[in-house]
Amino acid sequence: MEQQGCRGSGVACDNGSAADATGLQLLCGDINVTGCDSRSRVTMGQERGTYDFCIGLALAISSSIFIGGSFILKKKGLLRLARKGSMRAGQGGHAYLKEWLWWAGLLSMGVGEAANFAAYAFAPATLVTPLGALSVLVSAVLSSYFLSERLNLHGKLGCVLSILGSTTMVIHAPQEEEINSLKDMAGKLVDPGFVVFATFVVIVALILIFVVGPRHGQVNILVYITICSVIGALSVSCVKGLGITIKELFAGKPVFTNPLSWILLFSLVTCVSTQINYLNKALDIFNTSLVTPIYYVFFTTSVLTCSAILFKEWESMSASDIIGTISGFATIIIGIFLLHAFKDVNISLASLAVSIRKEERALPVSNGLSTHVAYELLDDTTVADVDDREASLPFDSVSRRNGSMVSS
């Protein structure tokens, strides 16, 4: 009986063990399936994030190309009207409305702004906003070819630095997106950090508009530019939210019944109209070569600050990426400054070489004696005449002379 009981117990134990083993296998299978699904979702999310990043990058670059080209088309149209003797736009004329080149430029700008608007829906604002400097570069390069405007040595160096800075920012920009739906956007907008930042921006803007502007706006270039820049940070946030709204609209979600969509639209119209008003005032009073680089620096800095607070895009970046992004931004700033601040200075490699030789002849040598210029002056030729003759030669034909110069 005991053996039978033991055998019965053994059978029971065997059956129990088999059941437990089967349950354990099913449990492990469920865990494995869940783990595979999680890894699969993470991989798909990363691939989707990279795909959206590339779309946003392409839209941002195409936006700069269209906007930069629009200035050239508009300018060509206005110059054509001037040759025809029509009243110019600066004198109150509206003949440009009959010029197809002007309308082509307006259409190009509209396409560029639409692409820039859409870029915020796919890529971080930390990437899209600084790339707006490429439109200045495109405009400068195209104007040298199609408008016969000279791009001096500083301008060429500025273009190179702007390209290098933009490339650096693309490499180190965050590729993870924090905001994917209007629900997420609503949660970010009520974040205490952003509420404090937005309140501070509104207070500063109101003080500058109603207190500082009437007193110092006509003499201080920073007043109107600061108003445009701080308000611009909020407008970019609204653009980002509306871009997400459009994505949800195409996905079939009821965005028109969401009050946040209309709040973002109203805020964007208010911010953009304020920016346009005070930017036009700054351009009307001060030199464009000063307004453009200063506005770019202030505006982009405000947007990057707002992006760091609202979207928290910087939290996912490593220290090296943060340093790379800031370095790229600083490089773009230097490039834009060189491109605009010295655009009226007539300097080239040829004139630079002549200036260097003049300084070398004027500098004393180590033994206290003046440097000896080994030029043989014939007849009544003076050193100044020789310098003028060299300055008129192309750079390639100005050679280094170690001996005497004999006139031909």
Side-chain angles (χ1 to χ4, degrees):
M1 292 290 295
E2 291 180 359
Q3 292 177 354
Q4 187 177 358
C6 288
R7 283 194 299 270
S9 300
V11 170
C13 290
D14 291 340
N15 292 335
S17 299
D20 291 341
T22 303
L24 183 60
Q25 290 175 356
L26 292 174
L27 179 61
C28 293
D30 291 339
I31 293 176
N32 290 334
V33 170
T34 303
C36 292
D37 290 342
S38 300
R39 287 192 296 271
S40 147
R41 284 194 295 268
V42 170
T43 303
M44 291 177 63
Q46 291 176 347
E47 292 178 353
R48 180 65 182 176
T50 304
Y51 178 72
D52 287 348
F53 178 86
C54 293
I55 292 179
L57 176 61
L59 288 171
I61 294 176
S62 62
S63 168
S64 297
I65 295 174
F66 279 109
I67 293 176
S70 69
F71 293 112
I72 307 303
L73 292 172
K74 286 184 177 181
K75 186 70 174 179
K76 290 282 286 185
L78 294 175
L79 290 176
R80 177 182 291 186
L81 289 174
R83 287 194 296 268
K84 293 178 180 178
S86 303
M87 182 178 290
R88 306 187 66 168
Q91 300 172 348
H94 299 283
Y96 58 84
L97 295 176
K98 300 178 181 179
E99 177 59 50
W100 70 270
L101 272 177
W102 187 88
W103 283 104
L106 183 65
L107 178 62
S108 177
M109 177 168 285
V111 173
E113 292 294 347
N116 186 66
F117 183 91
Y120 283 103
F122 294 95
T126 306
L127 172 68
V128 177
T129 304
L131 288 181
L134 293 178
S135 63
V136 181
L137 185 150
V138 171
S139 177
V141 173
L142 292 180
S143 63
S144 65
Y145 285 98
F146 297 102
L147 299 178
S148 300
E149 295 182 0
R150 183 176 177 82
L151 189 63
N152 61 14
L153 183 61
H154 289 102
K156 294 175 182 177
L157 290 176
C159 291
V160 173
L161 289 175
S162 298
I163 293 175
L164 291 177
S166 301
T167 304
T168 303
M169 291 203 69
V170 170
I171 294 174
H172 294 282
Q175 297 189 13
E176 296 181 1
E177 192 58 56
E178 288 288 331
I179 310 294
N180 295 314
S181 65
L182 282 177
K183 183 179 179 180
D184 295 338
M185 188 71 183
K188 293 291 184 181
L189 290 175
V190 297
D191 184 78
F194 179 73
V195 171
V196 172
F197 173 78
T199 304
F200 175 76
V201 165
V202 172
I203 292 174
V204 169
L206 292 175
I207 292 175
L208 290 174
I209 291 172
F210 296 106
V211 179
V212 182
R215 298 178 182 177
H216 307 287
Q218 300 290 325
V219 295
N220 193 327
I221 192 174
L222 298 180
V223 176
Y224 291 148
I225 291 180
T226 303
I227 295 173
C228 299
S229 301
V230 296
I231 295 297
L234 298 181
S235 66
V236 168
S237 302
C238 296
V239 168
K240 183 77 171 178
L242 288 175
I244 296 172
T245 302
I246 294 175
K247 287 177 66 177
E248 291 196 346
L249 177 64
F250 286 124
K253 297 182 179 180
V255 296
F256 293 110
T257 58
N258 193 330
L260 181 59
S261 303
W262 301 104
I263 293 174
L264 291 173
L265 180 61
F266 174 77
S267 300
L268 178 62
V269 172
T270 304
C271 291
V272 170
S273 60
T274 304
Q275 281 181 265
I276 293 175
N277 180 34
Y278 286 96
L279 183 59
N280 285 335
K281 288 185 177 182
L283 290 172
D284 184 52
I285 298 171
F286 304 102
N287 195 324
T288 306
S289 62
L290 293 177
V291 173
T292 303
I294 295 175
Y295 175 64
Y296 172 78
V297 173
F298 277 42
F299 173 72
T300 308
T301 303
S302 300
V303 171
L304 294 179
T305 303
C306 180
S307 176
I309 296 173
L310 176 60
F311 303 122
K312 296 180 173 60
E313 295 168 343
W314 295 70
E315 290 184 354
S316 61
M317 299 172 64
S318 62
S320 60
D321 286 336
I322 293 176
I323 295 174
T325 301
I326 296 175
S327 300
F329 178 47
T331 306
I332 296 175
I333 291 175
I334 297 173
I336 294 296
F337 178 78
L338 289 175
L339 190 59
H340 281 83
F342 302 101
K343 69 177 184 180
D344 296 326
V345 178
N346 187 14
I347 183 171
S348 61
L349 288 176
S351 60
L352 182 63
V354 173
S355 300
I356 292 175
R357 282 197 296 276
K358 287 181 180 179
E359 293 179 359
E360 289 176 350
R361 290 198 295 269
L363 290 176
V365 292
S366 58
N367 59 6
L369 299 176
S370 297
T371 54
H372 176 68
V373 182
Y375 284 99
E376 179 183 354
L377 303 178
L378 302 179
D379 300 329
D380 296 331
T381 306
T382 62
V383 176
D385 295 332
V386 175
D387 292 337
D388 293 338
R389 187 173 6 177
E390 288 184 3
S392 64
L393 294 175
F395 176 72
D396 293 336
S397 61
V398 178
S399 61
R400 297 183 178 272
R401 295 170 175 85
N402 296 321
S404 60
M405 184 179 72
V406 181
S407 61
S408 55

